[in-house]
Amino acid sequence: MNHIVQMKGMNKYFGKLHVLKDIDLSVEQGEVVVIIGASGSGKSTLIRCVNGLEEFESGHLEVDGQALAPKGGNQQVLAEIRKEVGMVFQQFNLFPHLTVKKNIMLAPQKVKNISEVVANATAERLLERVGIGSQADKFPSHLSGGQQQRVAIARALAMEPRLMLFDEPTSALDPEMIGEVLDVMRELAKEGMTMMVVTHEMGFAREVADRVIYIHEGQIVEEGKPDDVFDNPQNERTQAFLSRVLVR
């Protein structure tokens, strides 16, 4: 199997708080893994460890064939991993003084030394891909929240990542804007993009995921195919969580 992400016995602490407990998880190339759980369960921390935004204290973490050492480790390895991993956050984190197109062009030019001509063409193509080609020359403040999040997705895709991480990408959006962002993510999944997604959108998880992971208090307590997890959860904690969040 071609592991893009592999965690073995990974532990993460915030001070004395044990946030992730002996996490064993692998993600295969082309797989969509959706991570669910209550707020504060460790979901976001888990995916933030994948690209080094959070340091883990012990265990093994390998991303795209490169091992990332605990507590920071090798910065050169981390830099290489970040070239291959795109991340979309709850907040859009766009540069307000740059146009939409310039926001997308910046990282490929600075990190991968892509020429301005190529970066410009890539930005235009990706904006069309996420459905907002006409917004290229606007500034982020002139866009809706859903449009800004689609720009953030296009910006991550501009680095041609092998893995995309999504940390609750719709949580800051008004309800009517959620669908347009999820539609872009659905298309990425259909195209075979490897994705790890933290979300509270259970309908999306059931539809798009190859595998659903349920985390409770820093531990993976259930995983499986969406229909199995949602329709026949085996762990009582999963049952209790889904009884609260699913509309019967």
Side-chain angles (χ1 to χ4, degrees):
M1 292 185 178
N2 188 358
H3 297 298
I4 296 295
V5 177
Q6 192 163 30
M7 302 173 179
K8 293 182 178 179
M10 193 178 77
N11 289 275
K12 166 67 183 172
Y13 292 82
F14 288 126
K16 294 183 178 180
L17 182 62
H18 198 175
V19 181
L20 296 176
K21 303 171 184 176
D22 293 318
I23 297 292
D24 292 333
L25 175 63
S26 62
V27 179
E28 310 302 327
Q29 183 174 351
E31 188 178 22
V32 178
V33 174
V34 175
I35 303 165
I36 63 173
S39 296
S41 59
K43 309 182 303 296
S44 294
T45 301
L46 188 151
I47 66 167
R48 287 171 66 90
C49 286
V50 173
N51 67 348
L53 290 176
E54 297 288 354
E55 298 178 348
F56 63 102
E57 273 69 35
S58 64
H60 177 79
L61 172 57
E62 190 174 297
V63 183
D64 198 23
Q66 300 199 69
L68 184 59
K71 298 183 180 179
N74 188 314
Q75 292 301 307
Q76 183 175 351
V77 170
L78 180 57
E80 291 301 314
I81 287 173
R82 286 178 173 168
K83 289 180 182 179
E84 304 297 335
V85 179
M87 187 159 186
V88 178
F89 301 87
Q90 297 176 34
Q91 302 299 327
F92 321 124
N93 298 322
L94 301 175
F95 292 107
H97 64 290
L98 297 178
T99 65
V100 164
K101 186 192 295 186
K102 292 293 186 183
N103 263 279
I104 297 170
M105 293 171 60
L106 186 62
Q109 288 183 276
K110 295 292 186 182
V111 178
K112 290 194 169 182
N113 297 315
I114 302 299
S115 72
E116 183 174 1
V117 171
V118 173
N120 182 78
T122 298
E124 291 180 348
R125 173 176 57 81
L126 290 172
L127 286 170
E128 291 292 341
R129 183 178 180 184
V130 300
I132 49 172
S134 62
Q135 311 299 320
D137 295 321
K138 293 184 178 179
F139 289 91
S141 61
H142 296 155
L143 273 58
S144 70
Q147 289 173 326
Q148 289 187 57
Q149 191 63 296
R150 284 187 278 169
V151 174
I153 294 173
R155 179 179 59 182
L157 291 174
M159 291 293 287
E160 299 183 337
R162 286 171 50 78
L163 168 67
M164 285 284 286
L165 308 175
F166 293 88
D167 184 9
E168 299 189 27
T170 61
S171 65
L173 300 178
D174 293 332
E176 64 269 21
M177 297 177 186
I178 291 173
E180 60 191 52
V181 173
L182 294 180
D183 284 344
V184 173
M185 295 170 65
R186 287 186 183 97
E187 288 302 312
L188 290 177
K190 289 178 183 178
E191 293 167 8
M193 175 62 73
T194 310
M195 298 162 61
M196 296 179 71
V197 183
V198 171
T199 185
H200 293 290
E201 300 292 334
M202 298 300 153
F204 171 81
R206 181 190 283 270
E207 176 188 352
V208 173
D210 296 302
R211 189 157 39 112
V212 173
I213 308 292
Y214 173 65
I215 293 185
H216 176 76
E217 295 182 353
Q219 292 180 298
I220 295 176
V221 299
E222 188 143 4
E223 65 177 290
K225 292 186 178 300
D227 287 347
D228 293 335
V229 172
F230 288 117
D231 295 337
N232 190 30
Q234 300 301 300
N235 188 283
E236 61 182 16
R237 294 190 177 102
T238 316
Q239 295 168 6
F241 171 76
L242 292 175
S243 70
R244 294 193 302 270
V245 301
L246 292 180
V247 178
R248 299 296 182 183

